[in-house]
Coordinates of all heavy atoms in Angstrom, one line a residue:
S13 N -17.4 -24.5 23.2 CA -18.0 -23.4 22.5 C -17.0 -22.2 22.5 O -16.5 -21.9 23.6 CB -19.3 -23.0 23.0 OG -19.2 -22.2 24.2
L14 N -16.7 -21.7 21.4 CA -15.8 -20.5 21.3 C -16.5 -19.2 21.5 O -17.7 -19.1 21.1 CB -15.1 -20.5 19.9 CG -14.2 -21.7 19.6 CD1 -13.8 -21.6 18.1 CD2 -13.0 -21.6 20.4
P15 N -15.8 -18.3 22.2 CA -16.5 -17.0 22.3 C -16.6 -16.3 20.9 O -15.9 -16.7 19.9 CB -15.5 -16.2 23.2 CG -14.2 -16.9 23.1 CD -14.5 -18.3 22.8
K16 N -17.5 -15.4 20.7 CA -17.7 -14.7 19.5 C -16.4 -13.9 19.1 O -15.8 -13.3 20.0 CB -18.9 -13.8 19.5 CG -20.2 -14.5 19.7 CD -21.3 -13.5 19.7 CE -22.6 -14.3 19.9 NZ -23.8 -13.4 19.9
F17 N -16.0 -13.9 17.8 CA -14.8 -13.3 17.4 C -14.9 -11.7 17.5 O -13.9 -11.0 17.6 CB -14.4 -13.7 16.0 CG -15.3 -13.1 14.9 CD1 -15.0 -12.0 14.3 CD2 -16.4 -13.9 14.5 CE1 -15.8 -11.5 13.3 CE2 -17.2 -13.4 13.5 CZ -16.9 -12.2 12.9
E18 N -16.1 -11.2 17.5 CA -16.3 -9.8 17.6 C -15.9 -9.3 19.0 O -15.6 -8.1 19.2 CB -17.8 -9.4 17.3 CG -18.2 -9.6 15.9 CD -18.9 -11.0 15.8 OE1 -18.9 -11.8 16.8 OE2 -19.3 -11.3 14.7
E19 N -16.0 -10.2 20.0 CA -15.7 -9.8 21.4 C -14.2 -9.9 21.8 O -13.9 -9.5 22.9 CB -16.6 -10.6 22.3 CG -18.1 -10.5 22.1 CD -18.9 -11.5 22.9 OE1 -18.3 -12.4 23.6 OE2 -20.1 -11.4 22.8
V20 N -13.4 -10.4 20.9 CA -12.0 -10.6 21.2 C -11.2 -9.3 21.0 O -11.4 -8.6 20.0 CB -11.4 -11.7 20.3 CG1 -10.0 -11.9 20.6 CG2 -12.2 -13.0 20.6
T21 N -10.3 -9.0 21.9 CA -9.4 -7.9 21.8 C -8.3 -8.3 20.9 O -7.6 -9.2 21.2 CB -8.9 -7.4 23.1 OG1 -10.0 -7.1 24.0 CG2 -8.0 -6.2 23.0
L22 N -8.1 -7.5 19.8 CA -7.0 -7.8 18.9 C -5.7 -7.1 19.2 O -5.7 -5.9 19.7 CB -7.4 -7.5 17.5 CG -8.7 -8.2 16.9 CD1 -9.0 -7.6 15.5 CD2 -8.4 -9.7 16.8
H23 N -4.6 -7.7 19.0 CA -3.3 -7.1 19.2 C -2.9 -6.5 17.9 O -3.1 -7.0 16.8 CB -2.2 -8.2 19.6 CG -2.6 -9.0 20.8 ND1 -2.4 -8.4 22.0 CD2 -3.0 -10.2 20.9 CE1 -2.8 -9.3 22.9 NE2 -3.2 -10.4 22.3
P24 N -2.3 -5.3 17.9 CA -1.9 -4.6 16.7 C -0.7 -5.3 16.1 O 0.1 -5.9 16.9 CB -1.6 -3.2 17.1 CG -1.3 -3.3 18.6 CD -2.1 -4.4 19.1
I25 N -0.5 -5.2 14.8 CA 0.7 -5.8 14.2 C 1.9 -4.8 14.4 O 1.7 -3.6 14.7 CB 0.5 -6.1 12.7 CG1 0.1 -4.9 11.9 CG2 -0.6 -7.2 12.5 CD1 0.1 -5.2 10.4
S26 N 3.1 -5.3 14.2 CA 4.3 -4.5 14.4 C 4.3 -3.3 13.5 O 4.0 -3.3 12.3 CB 5.5 -5.4 14.2 OG 6.7 -4.6 14.3
K27 N 4.8 -2.2 14.1 CA 5.0 -0.9 13.3 C 6.1 -1.1 12.3 O 6.2 -0.3 11.3 CB 5.2 0.3 14.2 CG 4.0 0.6 15.1 CD 2.8 0.9 14.4 CE 1.7 1.3 15.3 NZ 0.4 1.3 14.7
K28 N 7.0 -2.1 12.6 CA 8.1 -2.3 11.6 C 7.6 -2.8 10.3 O 8.3 -2.6 9.3 CB 9.1 -3.3 12.2 CG 9.9 -2.8 13.4 CD 10.8 -3.9 14.0 CE 11.5 -3.4 15.2 NZ 12.4 -4.4 15.8
Y29 N 6.4 -3.4 10.3 CA 5.9 -3.9 9.0 C 5.5 -2.7 8.1 O 5.6 -2.8 6.9 CB 4.6 -4.7 9.3 CG 4.1 -5.4 8.1 CD1 4.8 -6.3 7.4 CD2 2.8 -5.2 7.7 CE1 4.4 -7.0 6.3 CE2 2.3 -5.8 6.5 CZ 3.1 -6.7 5.8 OH 2.6 -7.3 4.7
L30 N 5.1 -1.6 8.7 CA 4.8 -0.4 7.9 C 6.1 0.1 7.2 O 6.0 0.5 6.1 CB 4.3 0.7 8.8 CG 4.0 2.1 8.2 CD1 3.0 1.9 7.0 CD2 3.6 3.1 9.2
V31 N 7.2 0.0 7.9 CA 8.5 0.4 7.3 C 8.8 -0.5 6.1 O 9.2 0.0 5.0 CB 9.7 0.4 8.3 CG1 11.0 0.6 7.6 CG2 9.4 1.4 9.4
K32 N 8.6 -1.8 6.2 CA 8.8 -2.7 5.1 C 7.8 -2.4 3.9 O 8.3 -2.4 2.8 CB 8.5 -4.1 5.6 CG 8.7 -5.2 4.6 CD 7.4 -5.8 4.3 CE 7.6 -6.9 3.3 NZ 6.6 -6.9 2.2
L33 N 6.6 -2.1 4.2 CA 5.6 -1.8 3.2 C 6.0 -0.5 2.4 O 6.0 -0.4 1.2 CB 4.2 -1.6 3.7 CG 3.5 -2.9 4.2 CD1 2.2 -2.6 4.8 CD2 3.3 -3.9 3.0
Q34 N 6.4 0.5 3.2 CA 6.8 1.8 2.6 C 8.0 1.7 1.8 O 8.1 2.3 0.7 CB 7.0 2.9 3.7 CG 5.8 3.1 4.6 CD 4.6 3.7 3.8 OE1 4.2 3.3 2.7 NE2 3.9 4.6 4.5
V35 N 9.0 0.9 2.2 CA 10.2 0.7 1.4 C 9.9 0.0 0.1 O 10.4 0.4 -1.0 CB 11.3 0.0 2.2 CG1 12.5 -0.5 1.3 CG2 11.8 0.8 3.4
G36 N 9.1 -1.0 0.2 CA 8.7 -1.7 -1.0 C 7.9 -0.9 -2.0 O 8.2 -0.9 -3.2
T37 N 7.0 -0.1 -1.5 CA 6.3 0.9 -2.3 C 7.2 1.9 -3.0 O 7.1 2.2 -4.2 CB 5.2 1.6 -1.5 OG1 4.3 0.6 -0.9 CG2 4.4 2.6 -2.3
T38 N 8.1 2.4 -2.2 CA 9.0 3.4 -2.8 C 9.9 2.8 -3.8 O 10.1 3.5 -4.9 CB 9.9 4.0 -1.6 OG1 9.0 4.6 -0.6 CG2 10.8 5.1 -2.1
L39 N 10.4 1.6 -3.6 CA 11.3 1.0 -4.6 C 10.5 0.7 -5.9 O 11.0 0.9 -7.0 CB 11.9 -0.3 -4.1 CG 13.0 -0.1 -3.0 CD1 13.4 -1.5 -2.5 CD2 14.1 0.7 -3.6
S40 N 9.2 0.3 -5.8 CA 8.4 0.1 -6.9 C 8.2 1.3 -7.7 O 8.3 1.3 -9.0 CB 7.0 -0.5 -6.5 OG 7.2 -1.7 -5.9
F41 N 7.9 2.4 -7.1 CA 7.6 3.7 -7.8 C 8.9 4.3 -8.3 O 8.9 5.0 -9.3 CB 6.8 4.6 -6.9 CG 5.4 4.2 -6.9 CD1 4.9 3.5 -5.9 CD2 4.5 4.5 -8.0 CE1 3.5 3.1 -5.9 CE2 3.2 4.1 -8.0 CZ 2.7 3.4 -6.9
L42 N 10.1 4.0 -7.7 CA 11.3 4.5 -8.3 C 11.6 3.8 -9.6 O 12.1 4.4 -10.5 CB 12.5 4.2 -7.3 CG 12.6 5.2 -6.2 CD1 13.8 4.7 -5.2 CD2 12.9 6.6 -6.7
F43 N 11.2 2.5 -9.7 CA 11.3 1.8 -11.0 C 10.5 2.6 -12.1 O 11.0 2.8 -13.2 CB 10.8 0.4 -10.8 CG 10.7 -0.4 -12.1 CD1 11.9 -0.9 -12.7 CD2 9.5 -0.6 -12.7 CE1 11.8 -1.7 -13.8 CE2 9.4 -1.4 -13.9 CZ 10.6 -1.9 -14.4
F44 N 9.3 3.0 -11.8 CA 8.5 3.7 -12.8 C 9.1 5.1 -13.0 O 9.0 5.6 -14.1 CB 7.0 3.9 -12.3 CG 6.3 2.6 -12.3 CD1 5.9 1.9 -11.2 CD2 5.9 2.0 -13.5 CE1 5.2 0.8 -11.2 CE2 5.2 0.8 -13.6 CZ 4.9 0.2 -12.4
A45 N 9.6 5.7 -12.0 CA 10.3 7.1 -12.2 C 11.4 7.0 -13.2 O 11.6 7.9 -14.0 CB 10.7 7.6 -10.9
V46 N 12.2 5.9 -13.0 CA 13.3 5.7 -14.0 C 12.8 5.5 -15.4 O 13.3 6.1 -16.4 CB 14.2 4.5 -13.5 CG1 15.2 4.1 -14.6 CG2 15.0 4.9 -12.2
G47 N 11.7 4.8 -15.5 CA 11.1 4.6 -16.8 C 10.6 5.9 -17.4 O 10.8 6.1 -18.6
I48 N 10.0 6.7 -16.6 CA 9.6 8.0 -17.1 C 10.7 8.9 -17.5 O 10.7 9.6 -18.5 CB 8.6 8.7 -16.1 CG1 7.3 7.9 -16.0 CG2 8.4 10.2 -16.4 CD1 6.4 8.4 -15.0
F49 N 11.8 8.9 -16.7 CA 13.0 9.7 -17.0 C 13.6 9.2 -18.4 O 13.9 10.0 -19.2 CB 14.0 9.6 -15.9 CG 15.3 10.2 -16.3 CD1 15.5 11.5 -16.3 CD2 16.4 9.4 -16.6 CE1 16.7 12.1 -16.6 CE2 17.6 9.9 -16.9 CZ 17.8 11.3 -17.0
L50 N 13.7 7.9 -18.5 CA 14.2 7.4 -19.8 C 13.3 7.7 -21.0 O 13.8 8.0 -22.1 CB 14.4 5.9 -19.7 CG 15.6 5.4 -18.8 CD1 15.6 3.9 -18.7 CD2 16.9 5.9 -19.2
G51 N 12.0 7.7 -20.7 CA 11.1 8.1 -21.8 C 11.2 9.5 -22.2 O 11.2 9.9 -23.3
S52 N 11.4 10.4 -21.2 CA 11.6 11.8 -21.5 C 12.9 12.1 -22.2 O 13.1 13.0 -22.9 CB 11.5 12.7 -20.2 OG 12.7 12.4 -19.4
T53 N 13.9 11.2 -22.0 CA 15.2 11.4 -22.6 C 15.2 10.9 -24.0 O 15.8 11.5 -24.9 CB 16.3 10.6 -21.8 OG1 16.3 11.1 -20.4 CG2 17.7 10.8 -22.4
F54 N 14.6 9.7 -24.3 CA 14.7 9.1 -25.6 C 13.5 9.2 -26.5 O 13.6 9.0 -27.7 CB 15.1 7.6 -25.4 CG 16.4 7.4 -24.7 CD1 16.5 6.9 -23.4 CD2 17.6 7.7 -25.4 CE1 17.7 6.7 -22.9 CE2 18.8 7.5 -24.8 CZ 18.9 7.0 -23.5
L55 N 12.4 9.6 -26.0 CA 11.2 9.7 -26.8 C 11.2 11.1 -27.5 O 11.7 12.1 -27.0 CB 9.9 9.6 -26.0 CG 9.6 8.2 -25.5 CD1 8.3 8.2 -24.6 CD2 9.3 7.3 -26.7
P56 N 10.6 11.2 -28.7 CA 10.5 12.5 -29.4 C 9.6 13.5 -28.5 O 8.8 13.1 -27.7 CB 9.8 12.1 -30.7 CG 9.9 10.7 -30.9 CD 10.1 10.1 -29.5
T57 N 9.8 14.7 -28.8 CA 9.1 15.8 -28.0 C 7.6 15.7 -28.0 O 7.0 16.2 -27.1 CB 9.7 17.2 -28.3 OG1 9.4 17.4 -29.7 CG2 11.1 17.3 -28.0
E58 N 7.1 15.2 -29.1 CA 5.6 15.2 -29.2 C 5.0 14.2 -28.2 O 3.8 14.3 -27.9 CB 5.1 14.8 -30.6 CG 5.5 13.5 -31.1 CD 6.8 13.5 -32.0 OE1 7.4 14.6 -32.1 OE2 7.1 12.5 -32.6
F59 N 5.8 13.3 -27.6 CA 5.2 12.4 -26.6 C 5.4 12.9 -25.2 O 4.9 12.3 -24.2 CB 5.9 11.0 -26.7 CG 5.6 10.3 -27.9 CD1 6.5 10.2 -29.0 CD2 4.3 9.7 -28.1 CE1 6.2 9.5 -30.1 CE2 4.0 9.0 -29.2 CZ 4.9 8.9 -30.3
H60 N 6.1 14.1 -25.0 CA 6.3 14.6 -23.7 C 5.0 15.0 -22.9 O 5.0 14.9 -21.7 CB 7.3 15.8 -23.7 CG 8.7 15.3 -23.9 ND1 9.7 16.2 -23.8 CD2 9.2 14.1 -24.3 CE1 10.9 15.5 -24.1 NE2 10.6 14.3 -24.4
K61 N 4.0 15.4 -23.7 CA 2.7 15.7 -23.0 C 2.1 14.5 -22.4 O 1.5 14.5 -21.3 CB 1.7 16.4 -24.0 CG 1.3 15.5 -25.1 CD 0.3 16.2 -26.0 CE 0.0 15.4 -27.2 NZ -0.9 16.0 -28.2
Y62 N 2.3 13.3 -23.0 CA 1.8 12.0 -22.4 C 2.7 11.7 -21.1 O 2.1 11.1 -20.2 CB 1.9 10.9 -23.4 CG 1.0 11.2 -24.6 CD1 1.6 11.3 -25.8 CD2 -0.3 11.3 -24.5 CE1 0.8 11.5 -27.0 CE2 -1.1 11.5 -25.6 CZ -0.6 11.6 -26.8 OH -1.3 11.9 -27.9
L63 N 3.9 12.0 -21.1 CA 4.8 11.8 -20.0 C 4.3 12.6 -18.8 O 4.4 12.2 -17.6 CB 6.2 12.0 -20.3 CG 6.9 11.0 -21.2 CD1 8.3 11.4 -21.5 CD2 6.9 9.6 -20.6
F64 N 3.9 13.8 -19.1 CA 3.4 14.7 -18.0 C 2.2 14.0 -17.3 O 2.1 13.9 -16.1 CB 2.9 16.1 -18.5 CG 2.2 16.9 -17.5 CD1 2.9 17.5 -16.5 CD2 0.8 17.0 -17.6 CE1 2.2 18.3 -15.6 CE2 0.1 17.8 -16.7 CZ 0.8 18.4 -15.7
W65 N 1.3 13.5 -18.1 CA 0.1 12.8 -17.5 C 0.5 11.5 -16.8 O -0.1 11.1 -15.8 CB -1.0 12.5 -18.5 CG -1.6 13.8 -18.9 CD1 -1.5 14.5 -20.1 CD2 -2.5 14.6 -18.1 NE1 -2.2 15.7 -20.1 CE2 -2.8 15.8 -18.9 CE3 -3.0 14.5 -16.8 CZ2 -3.6 16.8 -18.4 CZ3 -3.8 15.6 -16.3 CH2 -4.1 16.7 -17.1
A66 N 1.5 10.8 -17.3 CA 2.1 9.6 -16.7 C 2.6 10.0 -15.3 O 2.4 9.2 -14.3 CB 3.1 9.0 -17.5
V67 N 3.3 11.1 -15.2 CA 3.9 11.5 -13.9 C 2.7 11.8 -12.9 O 2.8 11.4 -11.8 CB 4.8 12.8 -14.1 CG1 5.1 13.4 -12.7 CG2 6.0 12.4 -14.8
I68 N 1.7 12.5 -13.4 CA 0.5 12.8 -12.5 C -0.1 11.5 -12.0 O -0.4 11.3 -10.8 CB -0.5 13.6 -13.3 CG1 0.1 15.0 -13.6 CG2 -1.8 13.8 -12.4 CD1 0.5 15.8 -12.5
V69 N -0.3 10.5 -12.9 CA -0.9 9.2 -12.5 C 0.0 8.5 -11.5 O -0.5 8.0 -10.5 CB -1.2 8.4 -13.7 CG1 -1.6 7.0 -13.4 CG2 -2.3 9.0 -14.6
I70 N 1.3 8.5 -11.8 CA 2.2 7.8 -10.9 C 2.2 8.4 -9.5 O 2.2 7.7 -8.5 CB 3.6 7.8 -11.5 CG1 3.7 6.9 -12.8 CG2 4.7 7.3 -10.5 CD1 3.4 5.5 -12.6
L71 N 2.2 9.8 -9.5 CA 2.2 10.4 -8.2 C 0.9 10.2 -7.4 O 1.0 10.0 -6.2 CB 2.4 11.9 -8.3 CG 3.8 12.4 -8.7 CD1 3.9 13.9 -9.0 CD2 4.8 12.0 -7.7
L72 N -0.2 10.1 -8.1 CA -1.5 9.8 -7.4 C -1.5 8.4 -6.9 O -1.9 8.1 -5.7 CB -2.6 10.1 -8.4 CG -3.0 11.5 -8.7 CD1 -4.1 11.6 -9.8 CD2 -3.4 12.2 -7.4
L73 N -1.0 7.5 -7.7 CA -0.9 6.1 -7.2 C 0.1 5.9 -6.1 O -0.2 5.1 -5.1 CB -0.5 5.2 -8.4 CG -1.6 4.9 -9.4 CD1 -1.0 4.1 -10.6 CD2 -2.7 4.2 -8.8
F74 N 1.2 6.7 -6.1 CA 2.1 6.6 -5.0 C 1.5 7.1 -3.7 O 1.7 6.5 -2.7 CB 3.4 7.4 -5.4 CG 4.5 7.4 -4.3 CD1 5.1 6.2 -4.1 CD2 4.8 8.5 -3.6 CE1 6.1 6.2 -3.1 CE2 5.8 8.5 -2.7 CZ 6.5 7.3 -2.4
G75 N 0.8 8.3 -3.8 CA 0.1 8.8 -2.6 C -0.9 7.8 -2.1 O -1.0 7.7 -0.9
W76 N -1.7 7.2 -3.0 CA -2.7 6.3 -2.5 C -2.0 5.1 -1.9 O -2.5 4.6 -0.8 CB -3.6 5.8 -3.7 CG -4.4 4.7 -3.3 CD1 -4.3 3.4 -3.7 CD2 -5.6 4.7 -2.4 NE1 -5.2 2.6 -3.2 CE2 -6.0 3.4 -2.4 CE3 -6.2 5.7 -1.7 CZ2 -7.1 3.0 -1.6 CZ3 -7.3 5.3 -0.9 CH2 -7.7 4.0 -0.9
S77 N -0.9 4.6 -2.4 CA -0.2 3.4 -1.9 C 0.3 3.7 -0.5 O 0.2 2.9 0.4 CB 0.9 3.0 -2.8 OG 0.4 2.5 -4.0
I78 N 0.9 4.9 -0.3 CA 1.4 5.3 1.0 C 0.3 5.4 2.0 O 0.4 4.8 3.1 CB 2.2 6.6 0.9 CG1 3.4 6.5 0.1 CG2 2.5 7.2 2.3 CD1 4.5 5.6 0.6
F79 N -0.8 6.0 1.7 CA -2.0 6.1 2.5 C -2.5 4.7 2.8 O -2.9 4.4 4.0 CB -3.1 6.9 1.9 CG -4.4 6.9 2.6 CD1 -4.5 7.6 3.8 CD2 -5.5 6.2 2.1 CE1 -5.7 7.6 4.5 CE2 -6.7 6.2 2.8 CZ -6.8 6.9 4.0
N80 N -2.6 3.8 1.8 CA -3.1 2.5 2.0 C -2.2 1.7 3.0 O -2.7 0.9 3.8 CB -3.2 1.8 0.6 CG -4.0 0.5 0.7 OD1 -4.9 0.3 1.5 ND2 -3.5 -0.5 -0.1
N81 N -0.9 1.8 2.8 CA 0.0 1.1 3.7 C -0.2 1.5 5.2 O -0.2 0.7 6.1 CB 1.4 1.4 3.3 CG 1.8 0.7 2.0 OD1 1.1 -0.2 1.5 ND2 2.9 1.2 1.4
V82 N -0.4 2.8 5.4 CA -0.6 3.3 6.8 C -1.9 2.8 7.4 O -1.9 2.3 8.5 CB -0.5 4.9 6.8 CG1 -1.0 5.4 8.2 CG2 0.9 5.4 6.4
M83 N -2.9 2.9 6.6 CA -4.2 2.4 7.1 C -4.2 0.9 7.3 O -4.9 0.4 8.2 CB -5.3 2.8 6.1 CG -5.6 4.3 6.1 SD -5.9 5.1 7.7 CE -7.5 4.4 8.1
Y84 N -3.5 0.2 6.4 CA -3.5 -1.3 6.5 C -2.9 -1.7 7.9 O -3.4 -2.5 8.6 CB -2.6 -1.9 5.4 CG -2.4 -3.4 5.5 CD1 -3.4 -4.2 5.0 CD2 -1.3 -3.9 6.0 CE1 -3.3 -5.6 5.0 CE2 -1.1 -5.3 6.1 CZ -2.1 -6.1 5.6 OH -1.9 -7.5 5.7
V85 N -1.7 -1.1 8.2 CA -1.1 -1.4 9.5 C -1.9 -0.9 10.7 O -2.0 -1.6 11.7 CB 0.4 -0.8 9.5 CG1 1.0 -0.9 10.9 CG2 1.2 -1.5 8.5
K86 N -2.5 0.2 10.5 CA -3.3 0.8 11.6 C -4.5 -0.1 11.9 O -4.9 -0.2 13.1 CB -3.8 2.2 11.3 CG -4.5 2.9 12.4 CD -4.8 4.4 11.9 CE -5.5 5.1 13.0 NZ -5.9 6.5 12.6
K87 N -5.2 -0.6 10.9 CA -6.4 -1.3 11.1 C -6.3 -2.8 11.2 O -7.2 -3.5 11.4 CB -7.4 -1.0 9.9 CG -7.8 0.4 9.8 CD -8.7 0.8 11.0 CE -9.1 2.2 10.8 NZ -10.1 2.6 11.8
S88 N -5.0 -3.4 11.0 CA -4.8 -4.8 11.1 C -4.6 -5.2 12.6 O -4.1 -4.5 13.4 CB -3.6 -5.2 10.3 OG -3.8 -4.9 8.9
G89 N -5.0 -6.4 12.9 CA -4.7 -7.0 14.2 C -4.9 -8.5 14.2 O -5.4 -9.1 13.2
Y90 N -4.5 -9.1 15.3 CA -4.6 -10.5 15.4 C -4.9 -10.9 16.9 O -4.6 -10.1 17.8 CB -3.3 -11.2 14.9 CG -2.1 -11.0 15.8 CD1 -1.8 -11.8 16.9 CD2 -1.3 -9.8 15.7 CE1 -0.7 -11.6 17.7 CE2 -0.3 -9.6 16.5 CZ 0.0 -10.5 17.5 OH 1.1 -10.2 18.4
A91 N -5.4 -12.1 17.0 CA -5.6 -12.7 18.4 C -5.3 -14.2 18.3 O -5.8 -14.8 17.4 CB -7.0 -12.4 18.9
L92 N -4.6 -14.7 19.3 CA -4.4 -16.1 19.4 C -5.2 -16.7 20.5 O -5.2 -16.2 21.6 CB -2.9 -16.4 19.7 CG -1.9 -15.8 18.7 CD1 -0.5 -16.0 19.2 CD2 -2.0 -16.5 17.3
R93 N -6.1 -17.7 20.1 CA -6.9 -18.3 21.1 C -6.5 -19.8 21.2 O -5.6 -20.2 20.5 CB -8.4 -18.1 20.7 CG -8.8 -16.7 20.6 CD -10.3 -16.5 20.5 NE -10.9 -17.1 19.4 CZ -12.2 -17.0 19.1 NH1 -13.0 -16.2 19.8 NH2 -12.7 -17.6 18.0
E94 N -7.2 -20.5 22.1 CA -6.8 -21.9 22.3 C -7.0 -22.7 21.1 O -6.2 -23.6 20.8 CB -7.6 -22.5 23.5 CG -7.2 -21.9 24.8 CD -7.9 -22.6 25.9 OE1 -8.4 -23.8 25.8 OE2 -8.1 -22.0 27.0
Q95 N -8.1 -22.5 20.3 CA -8.4 -23.4 19.2 C -8.4 -22.7 17.8 O -8.6 -23.3 16.8 CB -9.8 -24.0 19.4 CG -9.8 -24.9 20.7 CD -11.2 -25.5 20.9 OE1 -12.1 -25.2 20.1 NE2 -11.3 -26.3 21.9
D96 N -8.0 -21.4 17.8 CA -8.0 -20.8 16.5 C -7.2 -19.5 16.6 O -6.7 -19.1 17.6 CB -9.4 -20.5 16.0 CG -10.2 -19.5 16.9 OD1 -9.7 -19.2 18.0 OD2 -11.3 -19.0 16.4
I97 N -7.0 -18.9 15.4 CA -6.3 -17.6 15.3 C -7.2 -16.7 14.5 O -7.9 -17.0 13.5 CB -5.0 -17.8 14.5 CG1 -4.1 -18.7 15.2 CG2 -4.3 -16.4 14.2 CD1 -2.9 -19.1 14.4
I98 N -7.3 -15.4 15.0 CA -8.1 -14.4 14.3 C -7.2 -13.4 13.8 O -6.2 -12.9 14.4 CB -9.1 -13.7 15.3 CG1 -10.0 -14.8 15.9 CG2 -9.8 -12.6 14.7 CD1 -10.9 -14.2 17.1
F99 N -7.4 -13.0 12.5 CA -6.6 -12.0 11.8 C -7.5 -11.1 11.1 O -8.3 -11.5 10.3 CB -5.5 -12.6 10.9 CG -4.6 -11.6 10.2 CD1 -3.7 -11.0 11.0 CD2 -4.8 -11.3 8.9 CE1 -2.9 -10.0 10.4 CE2 -4.0 -10.4 8.3 CZ -3.0 -9.7 9.1
K100 N -7.4 -9.8 11.4 CA -8.2 -8.8 10.7 C -7.3 -7.8 10.0 O -6.3 -7.4 10.5 CB -9.0 -8.0 11.7 CG -10.0 -7.0 11.1 CD -10.6 -6.1 12.2 CE -9.7 -4.9 12.2 NZ -10.1 -3.7 13.0
R101 N -7.7 -7.5 8.7 CA -6.9 -6.5 8.0 C -7.8 -5.7 7.1 O -8.9 -6.1 6.8 CB -5.8 -7.2 7.1 CG -6.4 -8.1 6.1 CD -5.4 -8.8 5.3 NE -6.0 -9.6 4.2 CZ -5.3 -10.0 3.2 NH1 -4.1 -9.7 3.0 NH2 -6.0 -10.7 2.3
G102 N -7.2 -4.6 6.6 CA -8.0 -3.7 5.7 C -8.7 -2.6 6.4 O -8.9 -2.7 7.6
F103 N -9.1 -1.6 5.7 CA -9.8 -0.5 6.3 C -11.1 -0.1 5.6 O -11.8 0.7 6.0 CB -8.9 0.7 6.4 CG -8.5 1.3 5.1 CD1 -9.2 2.4 4.6 CD2 -7.4 0.9 4.4 CE1 -8.8 2.9 3.3 CE2 -7.0 1.4 3.2 CZ -7.7 2.5 2.7
L104 N -11.4 -0.8 4.5 CA -12.6 -0.4 3.8 C -13.8 -1.1 4.4 O -14.9 -0.6 4.3 CB -12.5 -0.8 2.3 CG -11.5 0.0 1.5 CD1 -11.4 -0.5 0.1 CD2 -11.9 1.5 1.5
F105 N -13.7 -2.3 5.0 CA -14.8 -3.0 5.5 C -14.5 -3.4 6.9 O -13.4 -3.6 7.3 CB -15.1 -4.3 4.7 CG -15.4 -4.0 3.3 CD1 -14.4 -4.2 2.3 CD2 -16.6 -3.6 2.9 CE1 -14.6 -3.9 1.0 CE2 -16.9 -3.3 1.5 CZ -15.9 -3.5 0.6

């Protein structure tokens, strides 16, 4: 009989994984920033008001992604037992 998984002490995942997540998130959003810059350069001026809202949405998503990465690493954990492996992730549930 296995002990209940709720009673097991979980080990935190490496903090280096947070660096990996943040670098990936930053590179992804730099791709969108280049797209917005190119849009502001080559699109007619009547579309610039849409680019302003695109920048706002991208910044909000970037902030949420950074927060999500930090909480993901903070709330994730694992435990190795004789007959199974327990892995917990996420912060909403």
Side-chain angles (χ1 to χ4, degrees):
S13 80
L14 293 173
K16 295 181 179 182
F17 72 91
E18 296 92 357
E19 298 171 357
V20 175
T21 303
L22 300 176
H23 302 286
I25 62 174
S26 175
K27 299 296 181 193
K28 291 179 183 178
Y29 188 61
L30 177 61
V31 174
K32 183 247 181 225
L33 289 174
Q34 301 295 42
V35 168
T37 299
T38 303
L39 289 176
S40 297
F41 283 98
L42 281 176
F43 175 76
F44 288 111
V46 168
I48 289 174
F49 173 74
L50 291 175
S52 68
T53 304
F54 294 111
L55 286 176
T57 56
E58 62 261 10
F59 291 107
H60 285 189
K61 63 180 175 183
Y62 299 116
L63 289 176
F64 170 76
W65 290 108
V67 168
I68 297 298
V69 168
I70 293 296
L71 288 176
L72 289 173
L73 287 173
F74 182 67
W76 170 253
S77 296
I78 295 294
F79 173 74
N80 190 35
N81 292 342
V82 171
M83 293 305 292
Y84 177 83
V85 170
K86 185 177 179 181
K87 298 292 184 174
S88 296
Y90 69 94
L92 302 173
R93 301 193 299 184
E94 288 183 27
Q95 297 180 358
D96 63 349
I97 298 172
I98 300 171
F99 182 71
K100 182 188 96 169
R101 65 181 181 160
F103 66 95
L104 292 177
F105 301 100

